[in-house]
Structure formats: structure tokens, C-alpha cells
Amino acid sequence: MNAEMNGVDEARRSNQLQNINSLEEKIDYVFKIVVIGDSAVGKTQLLSRFAKNEFCFDSKSTIGVEFQTRTVAMKGKVIKAQIWDTAGQERYRAVTSAYYRGALGAIIVYDITKRPSFDHVARWVEELRVHADNSIVMTLIGNKSDLVDKKAVPTEDAVEFAEDQGLLFFETSAFSGANVDMAFLKLLEEIYNAISKKSLEISNGKLNGSTDHSSLKGSKIDVISGADMEISEIKKLSACSC
């Protein structure tokens, strides 16, 4: 019986890897998102949960910049999300600011149990506005929502700030996975809507005899969105790398 079950598991895993390899060969678009915020707010854990559905209890602070990917399929297109995990420590901020360029989306993370991490969000948003493209789509995430008893940042404060700054907002738990996919996929949806609008404007310009492509400058990376983003890249890891 166990041998039969093991055989089924191996076959299933083999099919998953074949599907992933097939997707890798057919990627239509690649796009870049940066995840920023103070140190120890859970940026790496959020990314690990979204990209690999993993949570590591022995996670260490990110040094410099790392990135992970998730590949999704929708409406006959295959998109690889390249998500950059930036260090929150002050000494690395000069390094990470260079990585904002070319990003279509940004996620600013704070820890709901640490008020200073929320108070610093305004500074992170300002840094994005200085270094990133002015059309970048931003999402504010209050992480560690599972620690309700230790909550130090009222949801109302975050909602008010997000509305004032024009940000999307979610409270998530990298530990339980609550709202993590929803937050990332909603960001992708908004990016896609913005890019589709630009593409439509260019198409209309062509129909009107215009050849001005300046409005798409810096937007060569496309995004596909929607509720049926279901195929994620699963990497074989010998040990937890988050």
C-alpha cells in the first residue's frame, strides 16, 4: 500500500516538474516587483510564502538584495514575476535604491506589532517616489496579523495612510499564509490594468496617425492578472532558503 502511494506521489511530482519546465520554455513576459520595509518585519517570509508556499522559523536578515520568482499562467500567456527582496537595514539602503529602477510594482511591509516600523513607512514611500518610476503601483502590507494580542498598529491608521497616499492595503500573515496571495495578485492586477491602459492609448495613437511611444517608456515588462493565476513555480530545495 505504501509503495503504491509513494508511486502516486512520485508520478504527481514528476508531472508538476514537467508542467513547470514547459512553462519555463514558454514565458511571454517578465516583470519586476520590489519588497521593502524595515528590517525584521517579515519581507523575506512573505516572499517565500508567495513564491514557494514556505515559512522558515530560522530566517535571518537579508543582506543586500535577493530575488525569487513565481511563474503564472493566464489566458494563454505565461508570466514570470521577478520579486526582489531588499534589506531593510540602514547600511544597505544606498545599495537597494538602485534596484527600484525598472520596477512596476512595490510592496511596503510593516510589522503590526511594532509601531516604529509603521511610522517609517512614509519614508519608504518617499524613497520610492524619488528612485522609482512615477507610475509604479504600491501596496502597503501590515504583516504578522496572526499576532493579534500584540497588535500595536490599528488597522484604521494604516487604512487612512494608504488612502491618503493612494496605496493598496492588506494585513497578512506569512506564518499562516492569510491574505498573502491576495495581496500579491491584487498588485499584479493593478499593474496589468495600468499597462493595458497605456497599450490602449498607444493603439489609439497609431489609429490616429501618431507614432509617439514615449508614454510606454520604461514599461516594456507586462503583467497578466486575475483570480485564476494558479500555476506557481516550485523549486527543488535541499534546505529552507528563506
Side-chain angles (χ1 to χ4, degrees), residues 103-147:
L104 294 180
I107 292 178
I108 308 102
V109 185
Y110 69 91
D111 181 342
I112 70 164
T113 71
K114 296 178 180 178
R115 181 73 196 197
S117 69
F118 175 73
D119 293 337
H120 297 160
V121 166
R123 185 181 64 184
W124 288 106
V125 171
E126 179 61 26
E127 186 165 300
L128 275 171
R129 298 200 193 281
V130 170
H131 295 287
D133 188 87
N134 58 13
S135 64
I136 192 169
V137 182
M138 291 182 272
T139 295
L140 177 64
I141 285 183
N143 193 34
K144 307 186 183 181
S145 62
D146 53 291
L147 303 177

Side-chain angles (χ1 to χ4, degrees), residues 119-212:
D119 293 337
H120 297 160
V121 166
R123 185 181 64 184
W124 288 106
V125 171
E126 179 61 26
E127 186 165 300
L128 275 171
R129 298 200 193 281
V130 170
H131 295 287
D133 188 87
N134 58 13
S135 64
I136 192 169
V137 182
M138 291 182 272
T139 295
L140 177 64
I141 285 183
N143 193 34
K144 307 186 183 181
S145 62
D146 53 291
L147 303 177
V148 179
D149 294 340
K150 299 181 179 180
K151 190 169 186 176
V153 182
T155 301
E156 294 77 11
D157 289 4
V159 169
E160 182 179 358
F161 178 85
E163 289 179 347
D164 181 65
Q165 295 293 319
L167 315 178
L168 300 169
F169 171 69
F170 293 89
E171 286 185 340
T172 68
S173 170
F175 175 71
S176 69
N179 287 339
V180 174
D181 271 18
M182 184 182 297
F184 276 87
L185 296 180
K186 181 60 176 177
L187 175 62
L188 302 187
E189 182 179 357
E190 292 301 316
I191 294 171
Y192 177 66
N193 289 341
I195 294 217
S196 296
K197 182 178 179 181
K198 288 184 179 180
S199 297
L200 182 60
E201 289 173 354
I202 289 298
S203 297
N204 289 338
K206 287 181 178 179
L207 291 175
N208 294 331
S210 172
T211 58
D212 181 11

Side-chain angles (χ1 to χ4, degrees), residues 37-45 56-66 85-92 114 144 241-242:
D38 283 6
S39 181
V41 296
K43 299 185 299 295
T44 300
Q45 297 283 24
C56 297
F57 290 94
D58 59 349
S59 179
K60 298 178 181 179
S61 294
T62 302
I63 298 177
V65 178
E66 301 174 355
D85 174 17
T86 55
Q89 300 97 319
E90 289 290 338
R91 63 183 178 277
Y92 295 119
K114 296 178 180 178
K144 307 186 183 181
S241 62
C242 48

